[in-house]
Amino acid sequence: MVEKIFRSQCPISSGLDLFGDKWSLLIVRDLLYHSERTFKDFSQSSENISSARLADRLSKLEKSGFLTKSKHPTNKKVFLYHLTQKGRDLAPILAEFVCWSNKYLNDHISEESKLFAEQLKDNREQVLSKYQNP
Amino acid sequence: MVEKIFRSQCPISSGLDLFGDKWSLLIVRDLLYHSERTFKDFSQSSENISSARLADRLSKLEKSGFLTKSKHPTNKKVFLYHLTQKGRDLAPILAEFVCWSNKYLNDHISEESKLFAEQLKDNREQVLSKYQNP
DNA sequence: TATATTGCTTTCGTTTTGAAAGTTATTTTT
DNA sequence: AAAAATAACTTTCAAAACGAAAGCAATATA
Protein backbone atom coordinates (compact mmCIF):
# COMPACT_ATOMS: atom_id res chain seq x y z
CA MET A 1 0.00 0.00 0.00
CA VAL A 2 2.79 2.41 0.91
CA GLU A 3 4.77 3.20 -2.21
CA LYS A 4 8.48 3.66 -1.87
CA ILE A 5 9.72 7.10 -2.83
CA PHE A 6 13.48 6.81 -2.41
CA ARG A 7 15.86 4.33 -3.98
CA SER A 8 18.60 4.84 -1.40
CA GLN A 9 19.81 7.12 1.38
CA CYS A 10 21.93 9.10 -1.04
CA PRO A 11 21.03 12.81 -1.14
CA ILE A 12 21.63 12.98 -4.88
CA SER A 13 19.56 9.94 -5.69
CA SER A 14 16.84 11.15 -3.33
CA GLY A 15 16.76 14.57 -4.96
CA LEU A 16 16.43 12.89 -8.33
CA ASP A 17 13.59 10.78 -6.97
CA LEU A 18 11.69 13.96 -6.13
CA PHE A 19 12.44 16.31 -9.01
CA GLY A 20 14.74 14.45 -11.37
CA ASP A 21 12.72 14.46 -14.55
CA LYS A 22 12.61 16.60 -17.68
CA TRP A 23 9.90 18.98 -16.46
CA SER A 24 9.85 19.63 -12.72
CA LEU A 25 12.84 21.94 -12.61
CA LEU A 26 11.47 23.92 -15.55
CA ILE A 27 8.32 24.63 -13.61
CA VAL A 28 10.49 25.74 -10.70
CA ARG A 29 12.53 27.87 -13.08
CA ASP A 30 9.43 29.66 -14.31
CA LEU A 31 8.32 30.32 -10.75
CA LEU A 32 11.72 31.58 -9.67
CA TYR A 33 11.75 33.99 -12.55
CA HIS A 34 8.14 35.13 -12.38
CA SER A 35 7.13 34.34 -8.76
CA GLU A 36 3.54 33.75 -9.82
CA ARG A 37 2.26 31.63 -12.70
CA THR A 38 -0.96 30.18 -14.06
CA PHE A 39 -1.49 26.88 -15.83
CA LYS A 40 -1.61 28.71 -19.11
CA ASP A 41 1.60 30.60 -18.35
CA PHE A 42 3.47 27.33 -17.85
CA SER A 43 1.92 25.92 -21.03
CA GLN A 44 3.33 28.78 -23.00
CA SER A 45 6.95 28.28 -21.98
CA SER A 46 9.18 27.53 -24.91
CA GLU A 47 9.63 23.82 -24.17
CA ASN A 48 5.99 23.05 -25.00
CA ILE A 49 4.96 20.82 -22.16
CA SER A 50 1.75 18.89 -22.82
CA SER A 51 -1.18 19.78 -20.62
CA ALA A 52 -1.41 16.23 -19.26
CA ARG A 53 2.21 16.32 -18.19
CA LEU A 54 1.92 19.81 -16.76
CA ALA A 55 -1.13 18.92 -14.68
CA ASP A 56 0.64 15.84 -13.39
CA ARG A 57 3.83 17.69 -12.47
CA LEU A 58 2.03 20.57 -10.80
CA SER A 59 0.09 18.20 -8.60
CA LYS A 60 3.19 16.20 -7.69
CA LEU A 61 5.19 19.31 -6.90
CA GLU A 62 2.34 20.61 -4.80
CA LYS A 63 1.99 17.30 -2.97
CA SER A 64 5.73 17.26 -2.28
CA GLY A 65 5.61 20.80 -0.94
CA PHE A 66 7.59 22.62 -3.61
CA LEU A 67 4.74 24.90 -4.58
CA THR A 68 1.28 26.02 -3.57
CA LYS A 69 -1.88 26.52 -5.57
CA SER A 70 -4.31 29.28 -4.73
CA LYS A 71 -7.33 31.05 -6.13
CA HIS A 72 -7.11 34.13 -8.24
CA PRO A 73 -8.53 37.09 -6.31
CA THR A 74 -11.05 38.09 -8.96
CA ASN A 75 -11.15 35.48 -11.74
CA LYS A 76 -12.77 32.23 -10.63
CA LYS A 77 -11.38 30.09 -13.37
CA VAL A 78 -7.73 30.96 -12.88
CA PHE A 79 -5.42 29.44 -10.28
CA LEU A 80 -2.14 30.87 -9.11
CA TYR A 81 0.98 28.87 -8.40
CA HIS A 82 3.79 30.04 -6.09
CA LEU A 83 6.98 28.48 -4.79
CA THR A 84 7.40 27.53 -1.16
CA GLN A 85 10.74 28.03 0.59
CA LYS A 86 11.48 24.40 -0.20
CA GLY A 87 10.99 25.18 -3.85
CA ARG A 88 12.90 28.46 -3.76
CA ASP A 89 15.82 26.59 -2.23
CA LEU A 90 16.25 24.75 -5.51
CA ALA A 91 17.62 27.99 -6.96
CA PRO A 92 21.28 27.10 -6.29
CA ILE A 93 20.86 23.85 -8.22
CA LEU A 94 19.39 25.70 -11.17
CA ALA A 95 22.17 28.28 -10.93
CA GLU A 96 24.75 25.51 -11.34
CA PHE A 97 22.90 24.22 -14.37
CA VAL A 98 23.19 27.69 -15.83
CA CYS A 99 26.92 27.91 -15.11
CA TRP A 100 27.62 24.46 -16.50
CA SER A 101 25.64 25.10 -19.66
CA ASN A 102 27.27 28.48 -20.10
CA LYS A 103 30.64 26.71 -20.18
CA TYR A 104 29.75 23.65 -22.27
CA LEU A 105 26.75 24.71 -24.35
CA ASN A 106 27.73 28.30 -24.88
CA ASP A 107 27.04 28.28 -28.61
CA HIS A 108 23.57 26.93 -28.06
CA ILE A 109 22.01 28.88 -25.19
CA SER A 110 20.35 32.28 -25.45
CA GLU A 111 22.23 35.56 -25.06
CA GLU A 112 20.02 36.44 -22.12
CA SER A 113 21.07 33.32 -20.25
CA LYS A 114 24.74 34.00 -20.98
CA LEU A 115 24.37 37.35 -19.29
CA PHE A 116 22.74 35.70 -16.32
CA ALA A 117 25.57 33.16 -16.13
CA GLU A 118 28.10 36.01 -16.06
CA GLN A 119 26.25 37.69 -13.23
CA LEU A 120 26.27 34.44 -11.32
CA LYS A 121 29.97 34.01 -11.89
CA ASP A 122 30.78 37.52 -10.69
CA ASN A 123 28.38 37.70 -7.83
CA ARG A 124 26.83 34.37 -7.02
CA GLU A 125 25.74 35.12 -3.46
CA GLN A 126 24.01 38.35 -4.22
CA VAL A 127 22.31 37.08 -7.35
CA LEU A 128 21.04 33.99 -5.54
CA SER A 129 19.93 35.90 -2.48
CA LYS A 130 17.26 37.56 -4.59
CA TYR A 131 15.62 34.16 -5.07
CA GLN A 132 15.87 32.97 -1.49
CA ASN A 133 13.07 35.13 -0.10
CA PRO A 134 9.41 35.33 -1.11
CA MET B 1 17.85 12.37 -40.08
CA VAL B 2 19.30 14.77 -37.54
CA GLU B 3 17.51 14.26 -34.25
CA LYS B 4 16.87 17.29 -32.12
CA ILE B 5 18.64 17.23 -28.79
CA PHE B 6 17.48 20.44 -27.16
CA ARG B 7 13.95 21.61 -26.46
CA SER B 8 14.91 25.27 -26.17
CA GLN B 9 17.82 27.66 -25.72
CA CYS B 10 17.41 27.61 -21.95
CA PRO B 11 20.53 26.42 -20.12
CA ILE B 12 18.45 24.57 -17.53
CA SER B 13 16.27 22.82 -20.06
CA SER B 14 19.34 21.98 -22.14
CA GLY B 15 21.17 20.52 -19.16
CA LEU B 16 18.12 18.40 -18.43
CA ASP B 17 18.08 17.26 -22.05
CA LEU B 18 21.61 15.93 -21.61
CA PHE B 19 21.65 14.47 -18.12
CA GLY B 20 18.19 15.04 -16.67
CA ASP B 21 17.11 11.51 -15.87
CA LYS B 22 17.11 9.27 -12.83
CA TRP B 23 20.48 7.62 -13.54
CA SER B 24 23.03 9.78 -15.34
CA LEU B 25 23.98 11.92 -12.36
CA LEU B 26 24.36 8.82 -10.19
CA ILE B 27 26.94 7.46 -12.61
CA VAL B 28 28.70 10.82 -12.42
CA ARG B 29 28.45 10.71 -8.63
CA ASP B 30 30.16 7.32 -8.50
CA LEU B 31 32.93 8.57 -10.76
CA LEU B 32 33.47 11.73 -8.76
CA TYR B 33 33.78 9.71 -5.62
CA HIS B 34 35.86 6.85 -6.99
CA SER B 35 37.51 8.38 -10.08
CA GLU B 36 37.57 4.99 -11.79
CA ARG B 37 34.75 2.48 -12.13
CA THR B 38 33.90 -0.71 -13.98
CA PHE B 39 30.51 -1.84 -15.27
CA LYS B 40 30.21 -4.16 -12.31
CA ASP B 41 31.10 -1.39 -9.86
CA PHE B 42 28.25 0.77 -11.14
CA SER B 43 25.91 -2.24 -11.03
CA GLN B 44 26.61 -2.68 -7.35
CA SER B 45 25.68 0.85 -6.30
CA SER B 46 22.82 0.88 -3.85
CA GLU B 47 20.17 2.11 -6.30
CA ASN B 48 20.25 -1.17 -8.27
CA ILE B 49 20.34 0.03 -11.83
CA SER B 50 19.50 -2.66 -14.38
CA SER B 51 22.28 -3.68 -16.71
CA ALA B 52 20.31 -2.62 -19.78
CA ARG B 53 19.82 0.85 -18.37
CA LEU B 54 23.42 1.09 -17.22
CA ALA B 55 24.77 0.11 -20.60
CA ASP B 56 22.53 2.64 -22.26
CA ARG B 57 23.49 5.48 -19.92
CA LEU B 58 27.20 4.76 -20.10
CA SER B 59 27.14 4.86 -23.87
CA LYS B 60 25.11 8.08 -23.93
CA LEU B 61 27.36 9.76 -21.39
CA GLU B 62 30.39 8.67 -23.36
CA LYS B 63 28.89 9.89 -26.63
CA SER B 64 28.11 13.26 -25.02
CA GLY B 65 31.64 13.57 -23.69
CA PHE B 66 31.01 13.28 -19.97
CA LEU B 67 33.13 10.18 -19.57
CA THR B 68 35.64 7.97 -21.35
CA LYS B 69 35.90 4.21 -21.60
CA SER B 70 39.28 2.52 -21.70
CA LYS B 71 40.83 -0.89 -21.47
CA HIS B 72 42.01 -2.38 -18.24
CA PRO B 73 45.84 -2.62 -18.31
CA THR B 74 45.96 -6.35 -17.56
CA ASN B 75 42.45 -7.81 -17.57
CA LYS B 76 40.98 -8.02 -21.06
CA LYS B 77 37.40 -8.40 -20.02
CA VAL B 78 37.23 -5.34 -17.82
CA PHE B 79 36.74 -1.77 -19.01
CA LEU B 80 37.47 1.35 -17.04
CA TYR B 81 35.33 4.45 -16.99
CA HIS B 82 36.62 7.92 -16.08
CA LEU B 83 35.14 11.38 -16.04
CA THR B 84 36.22 14.05 -18.47
CA GLN B 85 36.56 17.67 -17.37
CA LYS B 86 33.06 18.19 -18.74
CA GLY B 87 31.85 15.47 -16.41
CA ARG B 88 33.85 16.65 -13.43
CA ASP B 89 32.32 20.08 -13.87
CA LEU B 90 28.97 18.62 -12.89
CA ALA B 91 30.30 18.42 -9.33
CA PRO B 92 28.84 21.79 -8.27
CA ILE B 93 25.39 20.66 -9.39
CA LEU B 94 25.68 17.48 -7.34
CA ALA B 95 26.96 19.51 -4.40
CA GLU B 96 23.80 21.59 -4.45
CA PHE B 97 21.70 18.44 -4.51
CA VAL B 98 23.54 17.36 -1.38
CA CYS B 99 22.94 20.70 0.35
CA TRP B 100 19.28 20.79 -0.58
CA SER B 101 18.68 17.23 0.56
CA ASN B 102 20.57 17.85 3.76
CA LYS B 103 18.12 20.63 4.53
CA TYR B 104 14.87 19.02 3.40
CA LEU B 105 15.48 15.27 3.62
CA ASN B 106 17.70 15.29 6.65
CA ASP B 107 15.89 12.47 8.42
CA HIS B 108 16.19 10.25 5.38
CA ILE B 109 19.76 10.57 4.09
CA SER B 110 22.80 8.72 5.43
CA GLU B 111 24.97 10.05 8.22
CA GLU B 112 27.93 10.02 5.88
CA SER B 113 26.21 12.35 3.46
CA LYS B 114 25.19 14.70 6.27
CA LEU B 115 28.85 15.05 7.16
CA PHE B 116 29.67 15.78 3.57
CA ALA B 117 26.93 18.40 3.45
CA GLU B 118 28.40 20.09 6.52
CA GLN B 119 31.81 20.18 4.93
CA LEU B 120 30.30 21.75 1.84
CA LYS B 121 28.50 24.34 3.90
CA ASP B 122 31.66 25.31 5.81
CA ASN B 123 34.08 25.15 2.98
CA ARG B 124 32.43 24.83 -0.38
CA GLU B 125 35.26 26.09 -2.55
CA GLN B 126 37.91 23.88 -1.07
CA VAL B 127 35.76 20.77 -0.99
CA LEU B 128 34.72 21.26 -4.60
CA SER B 129 38.22 22.05 -5.79
CA LYS B 130 39.19 18.46 -5.04
CA TYR B 131 36.78 17.30 -7.73
CA GLN B 132 37.72 19.83 -10.36
CA ASN B 133 41.03 18.23 -11.40
CA PRO B 134 41.73 14.72 -12.70
C1' DT C 1 39.48 -28.73 -18.50
C1' DA C 2 35.56 -27.12 -16.04
C1' DT C 3 33.60 -23.34 -13.78
C1' DA C 4 32.98 -18.57 -12.89
C1' DT C 5 33.03 -13.88 -14.11
C1' DT C 6 32.60 -9.57 -16.83
C1' DG C 7 30.29 -6.77 -19.79
C1' DC C 8 27.14 -6.50 -22.02
C1' DT C 9 22.48 -7.67 -25.22
C1' DT C 10 17.90 -9.52 -25.74
C1' DT C 11 13.27 -10.26 -24.47
C1' DC C 12 9.08 -8.91 -22.70
C1' DG C 13 5.52 -7.12 -19.84
C1' DT C 14 4.71 -2.61 -17.46
C1' DT C 15 5.01 2.29 -16.89
C1' DT C 16 5.62 6.84 -18.61
C1' DT C 17 5.21 9.95 -22.13
C1' DG C 18 3.49 13.34 -25.92
C1' DA C 19 -0.05 14.76 -28.97
C1' DA C 20 -4.52 15.57 -29.66
C1' DA C 21 -9.16 15.90 -28.58
C1' DG C 22 -12.71 16.47 -25.16
C1' DT C 23 -14.96 18.50 -20.84
C1' DT C 24 -16.71 21.85 -17.49
C1' DA C 25 -17.11 26.09 -15.39
C1' DT C 26 -16.61 30.69 -16.03
C1' DT C 27 -15.85 34.91 -18.47
C1' DT C 28 -16.15 37.84 -22.38
C1' DT C 29 -18.27 39.37 -26.56
C1' DT C 30 -22.07 40.38 -29.25
C1' DA D 1 -29.39 37.19 -22.80
C1' DA D 2 -27.28 34.20 -25.89
C1' DA D 3 -23.18 32.89 -28.18
C1' DA D 4 -18.45 32.46 -28.36
C1' DA D 5 -14.17 32.14 -26.17
C1' DT D 6 -11.14 30.84 -22.55
C1' DA D 7 -8.78 28.48 -18.39
C1' DA D 8 -7.76 24.50 -16.37
C1' DC D 9 -7.74 20.57 -16.63
C1' DT D 10 -8.97 15.19 -18.13
C1' DT D 11 -9.22 11.49 -21.37
C1' DT D 12 -7.57 8.66 -24.99
C1' DC D 13 -4.20 6.26 -27.38
C1' DA D 14 -0.05 4.97 -29.63
C1' DA D 15 4.90 5.29 -28.97
C1' DA D 16 8.86 5.41 -26.17
C1' DA D 17 11.31 4.29 -22.00
C1' DC D 18 11.81 1.28 -18.34
C1' DG D 19 12.90 -2.87 -14.99
C1' DA D 20 13.56 -7.63 -14.31
C1' DA D 21 15.23 -11.55 -15.94
C1' DA D 22 17.53 -14.48 -18.96
C1' DG D 23 20.99 -15.19 -22.43
C1' DC D 24 25.60 -14.77 -24.53
C1' DA D 25 30.58 -14.45 -25.81
C1' DA D 26 35.06 -13.74 -24.35
C1' DT D 27 38.19 -14.16 -20.83
C1' DA D 28 39.91 -15.44 -16.35
C1' DT D 29 40.22 -18.52 -12.43
C1' DA D 30 40.17 -23.00 -10.00
Side-chain angles (χ1 to χ4, degrees):
Chain A
M1 219 70 224
V2 188
E3 61 178 315
K4 239 195 181 166
I5 301 173
F6 299 116
R7 288 171 287 176
S8 76
Q9 289 186 295
C10 166
I12 297 163
S13 145
S14 302
L16 291 170
D17 289 335
L18 288 178
F19 50 81
D21 65 79
K22 302 266 184 235
W23 296 111
S24 295
L25 289 179
L26 299 185
I27 291 173
V28 173
R29 170 201 66 185
D30 286 359
L31 284 172
L32 278 167
Y33 195 61
H34 296 285
S35 88
E36 179 171 292
R37 295 269 92 179
T38 66
F39 192 94
K40 195 191 170 201
D41 290 333
F42 291 121
S43 295
Q44 292 172 339
S45 282
S46 61
E47 291 85 8
N48 296 314
I49 190 170
S50 75
S51 56
R53 215 47 40 212
L54 176 56
D56 177 67
R57 287 306 186 280
L58 286 173
S59 91
K60 281 181 180 167
L61 288 171
E62 189 190 6
K63 213 178 298 182
S64 318
F66 290 96
L67 50 80
T68 57
K69 179 182 181 178
S70 56
K71 290 177 181 173
H72 186 101
T74 59
N75 190 327
K76 279 196 180 180
K77 68 177 175 176
V78 172
F79 293 91
L80 300 176
Y81 294 91
H82 295 94
L83 286 179
T84 61
Q85 189 60 45
K86 185 175 180 177
R88 257 176 262 126
D89 278 337
L90 295 171
I93 296 178
L94 298 191
E96 295 302 340
F97 269 77
V98 172
C99 294
W100 186 91
S101 296
N102 188 53
K103 181 166 178 184
Y104 291 100
L105 306 174
N106 193 269
D107 56 354
H108 166 260
I109 62 176
S110 69
E111 292 305 317
E112 185 192 356
S113 59
K114 290 179 196 174
L115 281 177
F116 185 61
E118 289 304 316
Q119 289 172 29
L120 272 170
K121 218 188 283 182
D122 295 348
N123 209 354
R124 182 188 147 101
E125 290 315 309
Q126 204 190 315
V127 171
L128 279 182
S129 71
K130 280 187 239 166
Y131 295 102
Q132 297 300 321
N133 299 87
Chain B
M1 219 69 225
V2 188
E3 60 177 316
K4 240 194 179 169
I5 300 175
F6 299 115
R7 287 170 288 176
S8 76
Q9 289 188 295
C10 166
I12 297 164
S13 146
S14 301
L16 291 171
D17 289 335
L18 289 177
F19 50 81
D21 63 81
K22 301 266 184 235
W23 296 111
S24 294
L25 288 180
L26 299 185
I27 291 172
V28 173
R29 170 201 65 184
D30 287 358
L31 285 171
L32 279 167
Y33 194 63
H34 296 285
S35 88
E36 179 171 290
R37 294 270 92 178
T38 65
F39 193 95
K40 196 192 170 200
D41 290 333
F42 290 122
S43 296
Q44 291 173 340
S45 282
S46 62
E47 292 85 9
N48 297 314
I49 188 170
S50 75
S51 56
R53 215 47 42 213
L54 176 56
D56 177 67
R57 286 306 185 282
L58 286 172
S59 91
K60 281 182 180 167
L61 288 170
E62 188 189 7
K63 213 178 295 181
S64 317
F66 291 96
L67 50 81
T68 58
K69 179 183 181 177
S70 57
K71 290 177 180 172
H72 185 100
T74 59
N75 189 327
K76 280 195 179 178
K77 68 177 176 177
V78 172
F79 294 92
L80 300 174
Y81 295 91
H82 295 95
L83 285 179
T84 60
Q85 189 60 45
K86 186 175 179 177
R88 274 190 296 278
D89 279 337
L90 296 172
I93 296 178
L94 298 191
E96 296 302 341
F97 269 76
V98 172
C99 295
W100 186 91
S101 296
N102 188 55
K103 182 166 179 184
Y104 290 101
L105 306 174
N106 193 268
D107 55 355
H108 166 260
I109 63 176
S110 69
E111 291 305 316
E112 185 192 356
S113 60
K114 290 179 195 174
L115 280 176
F116 185 62
E118 289 303 316
Q119 289 172 30
L120 272 170
K121 220 188 281 182
D122 296 346
N123 210 353
R124 181 189 147 101
E125 290 314 311
Q126 204 189 315
V127 172
L128 279 182
S129 70
K130 282 188 237 166
Y131 296 102
Q132 296 299 320
N133 299 87

